Amino acid sequence: MVSPTYYLDPLSTLSMKIITCIEELRDQLRGQLRTAFVPTMGNLHEGHLSLIRLAKRHGDPVVASIFVNRLQFGPNEDFDKYPRTFEADVAKLEKEGVYVLFAPTEKDLYPEPQEFRIQPPDSLGNMLEGEFRPGFFVGVSTVVLKLFSCVQPRVAVFGKKDYQQLMVIRNMSKQLALPTEIIAAETFRSDDGLALSSRNMYLSEQERAEAPALFKELNQIASAIRSGHLNIAELEKAAMAELTRRNWKPDYISIRKQANLQAPSADDLAQQSPLVVVAAAKLGTTRLIDNLEI
Ligand code: PAF
């Protein structure tokens, strides 16, 4: 991995500033009242760039961050092999007109063990992704709050692809009265429907061809519900069975309420409460997540 400090070369022709140190970042952004922030873990693709473009419509200057946050990875997850493509990321952000890239090292962001952490409520943080990735939302909430404290943005943009993450951050921001408005960006998809994700690069050619099947299952469920099929358990079970038949290992496919990600009651269904179908499944060794609002 190329060290971010490489870009602090004074001869650099970049107009975007690359900052690793929190104090320097604060100096650079002092007095900015309309900062729009896009936090990322790097390996940027069109999905991330669409977040940057949305951020531009909501504030100025635009600040992005790249930090692969160890706190949100489980012991058997892909922290070490998570794709790090710093040089290419810098070129993309520069081209989008980002003002500052905050790219702290672990020492900059966690100079001592991060003992104070944000604990989302069990009802939101321990189900779905939280059940399969224990500690994930503690890690995400903690780093996002810390990044907000460094950048002090007026708005921050998060993708709907990580639907539960977006809800956790929204609720955190609301309950802690953070001065940062959370903006949701639509999921960016390839032409065949696959949601863009840094983890797609782990897929073999054959797996990449199979991967859109996940979104297809979500669409099947959505059209069944729209046409009045309200046996939620049956729809979830059928989609899980179909993916299993196709050699996926689904963690969950679950129809939930958009408002709080809880399972809809019969009343909710009768009143046509807005729903979302959320899913996570492994294809080979790659775990993909996706969702579709209904
Ligand atoms: O969605 C991501 O890339 C990460 O979870 C985030 C929000 C940047 C926190 O590390």
Side-chain angles (χ1 to χ4, degrees), residues 39-41 48 67 69 72 136 140 143-144 158 162 165 169:
T40 80
M41 298 206 298
H48 295 109
F67 181 69
N69 174 39
Q72 71 191 71
F136 173 67
V140 167
V143 80
V144 168
F158 292 84
D162 297 289
Q165 167 174 285
I169 291 165

Side-chain angles (χ1 to χ4, degrees), residues 202-231:
Y202 300 148
L203 298 169
S204 68
E205 203 178 315
Q206 208 183 349
E207 288 165 348
R208 175 61 190 82
E210 169 60 19
L214 181 60
F215 187 50
K216 282 199 192 107
E217 285 307 313
L218 302 187
N219 274 296
Q220 296 269 18
I221 291 182
S223 33
I225 291 180
R226 283 188 198 114
S227 56
H229 185 124
L230 294 180
N231 189 333

Side-chain angles (χ1 to χ4, degrees), residues 123-124 127-128 163-165 167-168 254-264 276 278:
S123 58
L124 179 58
M127 58 159 175
L128 302 171
Y163 207 86
Q164 192 176 1
Q165 167 174 285
M167 187 164 288
V168 166
S254 197
I255 298 158
R256 299 291 172 110
K257 285 190 284 182
Q258 284 181 28
N260 56 12
L261 284 182
Q262 299 300 314
V276 56
V278 286

Side-chain angles (χ1 to χ4, degrees), residues 29 40 81 111 116 137 142 190 193 205 218 221 236 239 254 263 293:
L29 296 177
T40 80
K81 75 164 188 169
F116 284 86
F137 289 117
T142 304
S190 303
E205 203 178 315
L218 302 187
I221 291 182
E236 293 171 346
S254 197
E293 290 178 327

Side-chain angles (χ1 to χ4, degrees), residues 168-183:
V168 166
I169 291 165
R170 265 213 171 117
N171 291 5
M172 172 180 81
S173 207
K174 182 165 163 254
Q175 287 213 345
L176 298 180
L178 304 181
T180 302
E181 183 190 340
I182 308 301
I183 311 263

Side-chain angles (χ1 to χ4, degrees), residues 17-160:
K17 293 175 184 57
I18 301 175
I19 298 179
T20 58
C21 157
I22 296 176
E23 284 315 311
E24 203 185 314
L25 179 76
R26 290 207 169 118
D27 284 347
Q28 187 68 43
L29 296 177
R30 201 173 309 286
Q32 298 285 6
L33 298 177
R34 296 186 57 242
T35 301
F37 179 43
V38 181
T40 80
M41 298 206 298
N43 191 238
L44 304 180
H45 48 64
E46 274 303 310
H48 295 109
L49 302 185
S50 72
L51 306 186
I52 302 279
R53 289 167 199 150
L54 186 58
K56 265 194 197 157
R57 293 179 17 213
H58 287 272
D60 180 44
V62 172
V63 174
S65 66
I66 295 181
F67 181 69
V68 184
N69 174 39
R70 189 186 290 275
L71 291 190
Q72 71 191 71
F73 287 80
N76 299 319
E77 293 186 352
D78 54 346
F79 175 77
D80 287 327
K81 75 164 188 169
Y82 196 84
R84 288 155 172 95
T85 51
F86 193 71
E87 272 186 61
D89 294 346
V90 165
K92 289 175 187 166
L93 294 174
E94 164 87 356
K95 202 162 160 220
E96 292 298 327
V98 167
Y99 175 61
V100 167
L101 167 60
F102 181 43
T105 62
E106 286 198 282
K107 267 222 160 88
D108 290 305
L109 208 62
Y110 300 134
E112 54 192 55
Q114 184 65 38
E115 287 164 347
F116 284 86
R117 297 190 185 196
I118 295 290
Q119 178 79 52
D122 289 352
S123 58
L124 179 58
N126 287 352
M127 58 159 175
L128 302 171
E129 280 304 278
E131 183 187 337
F132 289 90
R133 303 186 66 189
F136 173 67
F137 289 117
V138 172
V140 167
S141 310
T142 304
V143 80
V144 168
L145 184 62
K146 194 155 188 179
L147 290 167
F148 281 6
S149 156
C150 299
V151 175
Q152 307 202 358
R154 200 196 68 73
V155 302
V157 181
F158 292 84
K160 279 193 190 177

